[in-house]
Amino acid sequence: MHSLTSSAILLLALLVVNPAATSSFLAPRPKMCSPNLSSLVHGFRGGAQTFSPYKSSKMASKSNGNDNGNDKEQASLPVRIFKKSLFILAPISVASAVTQLTPSIQAAYHGTEFTTDLTASLGCAVLATVWLKIVTKLATNSVIDSKDARKIIHTGSAPLFMFVWPFFSDSPWAALMAGCVPLANLSKVIAAGQSANSNDVEAKELASAVSRTGDSTEALGGPFIYTVVLLIATTFFWRSPVSAVAIAQMAAGDGVADLAGRRWGQKKWFFSKDKSYAGSAAFVGAATVTSLALVAWLNLAPVSMDLAVTLLFISVVCSLVELLPLGDDNWTVPIAGGLLAYSLII
């Protein structure tokens, strides 16, 4: 509560001290394009001059190449305040909370548990950096296709991180320490998403590796959601079948489906020209094997034929969710997998 109050006070102070920013923050716009994380982040970093993520009607018309004269309905004032303040309050609140909790966390540990978890977190962070560096370099040097690099990162990052979970202690605070790894990667994804106007070579390489078309702002779409889902799974479903199955479906299932579909997916589903039989089959196979491997490695449930059949069923359902246009696969698939795991395994 203290951190949230401090953040709110700081936000109000910023708006009071800088009237120009206050005016830009709350003023309605005659026309707006759909705001995304990239424009929001750029807006905030640019100061009062570029605080708003909304483009002028002239700029929007020029960038779209087509102006049909139909203005989008303006968001209400409370909604605009909420959306914009969220991007200020969230990082400040997290930083403040971590600062206040650190002494309590260290005191709650027993013996060498704190050192164990700190070492494991730092080791994971280093390994994650090396993993991303290897794949991005291969893509930058055209050793592997950029689309393949994107899906290799997608397929391997989260499961590889979860395979390191046994190296953390049994402390109830271990989940928070482990969560620092995807949190750090989240900052890298954000940096990659706004690297178009920066001189950060590493961020540009990562953006190139995780984007479909080379547009750096794509990093703030699927890759951003992917990392947030991993952060939630780590922090709130630590060493649970829910996190193991959800992440396996999102990472291995969806990632391998794309790799297989682009190579052997000539036959498409009748209701989707972008989804193939081969991709769906690869999804089910990779998701089932990875789910079973994670559950067994983390000792989350007794390994048996019944468990294998259950995971196969979950993978089939998740592959159907991936086929349907319900939203971004990086959140629809893990939610479906996590709910089924909670219902059928726990």
Side-chain angles (χ1 to χ4, degrees):
M1 180 62 71
H2 181 271
S3 62
L4 183 59
T5 304
S6 301
S7 303
I9 293 174
L10 180 57
L11 173 61
L12 292 175
L14 288 171
L15 297 180
V16 172
V17 170
N18 193 340
T22 306
S23 174
S24 176
F25 186 84
L26 298 177
R29 297 294 186 269
K31 185 174 183 177
M32 66 181 77
C33 62
S34 299
N36 52 40
L37 181 59
S38 176
S39 59
L40 285 167
V41 172
H42 280 302
F44 291 132
R45 293 187 66 180
Q49 296 296 327
T50 59
F51 190 83
S52 173
Y54 301 94
K55 297 180 180 179
S56 66
S57 58
K58 183 177 180 180
M59 291 178 63
S61 174
K62 183 182 294 185
S63 63
N64 293 335
N66 181 25
D67 185 4
N68 55 15
N70 295 325
D71 292 343
K72 295 183 179 179
E73 185 179 355
Q74 295 184 15
S76 64
L77 179 61
V79 172
R80 294 202 305 273
I81 294 175
F82 172 76
K83 286 184 176 180
K84 295 182 179 181
S85 62
L86 179 62
F87 284 90
I88 294 179
L89 289 174
I92 297 175
S93 298
V94 170
S96 179
V98 169
T99 301
Q100 296 178 41
L101 284 174
T102 298
S104 300
I105 293 173
Q106 191 167 358
Y109 274 101
H110 300 285
T112 61
E113 289 179 339
F114 180 78
T115 304
T116 299
D117 288 347
L118 181 61
T119 303
S121 295
L122 294 175
C124 286
V126 172
L127 291 175
T129 301
V130 172
W131 160 253
L132 290 175
K133 192 69 174 178
I134 291 174
V135 179
T136 54
K137 278 296 184 183
L138 291 175
T140 302
N141 296 330
S142 300
V143 177
I144 58 177
D145 184 76
S146 59
K147 293 181 179 179
D148 288 345
R150 177 176 175 273
K151 282 304 176 180
I152 289 172
I153 292 174
H154 182 103
T155 302
S157 297
L160 289 174
F161 170 57
M162 296 183 74
F163 272 110
V164 186
W165 283 10
F167 293 96
F168 287 85
S169 74
D170 295 327
S171 169
W173 294 100
L176 186 60
M177 294 290 284
C180 293
V181 178
L183 186 63
N185 287 335
L186 194 61
S187 67
K188 295 181 180 180
V189 172
I190 294 176
Q194 52 183 319
S195 62
N197 298 320
S198 73
N199 296 321
D200 191 336
V201 177
E202 291 187 3
K204 288 180 179 293
E205 290 179 349
L206 180 58
S208 176
V210 300
S211 64
R212 289 187 178 91
T213 63
D215 183 0
S216 61
T217 59
E218 291 181 11
L220 301 175
F224 179 83
I225 298 173
Y226 177 102
T227 312
V228 169
V229 169
L230 180 59
L231 176 61
I232 294 173
T234 303
T235 307
F236 296 101
F237 301 97
W238 176 246
R239 291 173 177 166
S240 165
V242 172
S243 58
V245 174
I247 294 303
Q249 303 296 321
M250 175 188 72
D254 185 56
V256 174
D258 182 83
L259 290 170
R262 284 190 286 108
R263 285 165 172 76
W264 307 293
Q266 289 79 15
K267 293 186 178 181
K268 308 292 185 181
W269 288 99
F270 65 91
F271 53 86
S272 176
K273 63 178 182 179
D274 298 323
K275 307 293 184 179
S276 65
Y277 297 151
S280 296
F283 183 112
V284 173
T288 302
V289 171
T290 306
S291 296
L292 186 60
L294 285 173
V295 170
W297 176 251
L298 298 174
N299 196 25
L300 303 177
V303 178
S304 64
M305 183 58 67
D306 289 340
L307 176 64
V309 172
T310 300
L311 293 175
L312 176 61
F313 171 75
I314 293 175
S315 298
V316 170
V317 174
C318 287
S319 71
L320 296 177
V321 172
E322 192 262 348
L323 286 174
L324 302 176
L326 301 176
D328 195 299
D329 299 336
N330 290 298
W331 67 264
T332 58
V333 169
I335 287 178
L339 289 174
L340 288 171
Y342 181 82
S343 302
L344 301 177
I345 299 177
I346 294 181

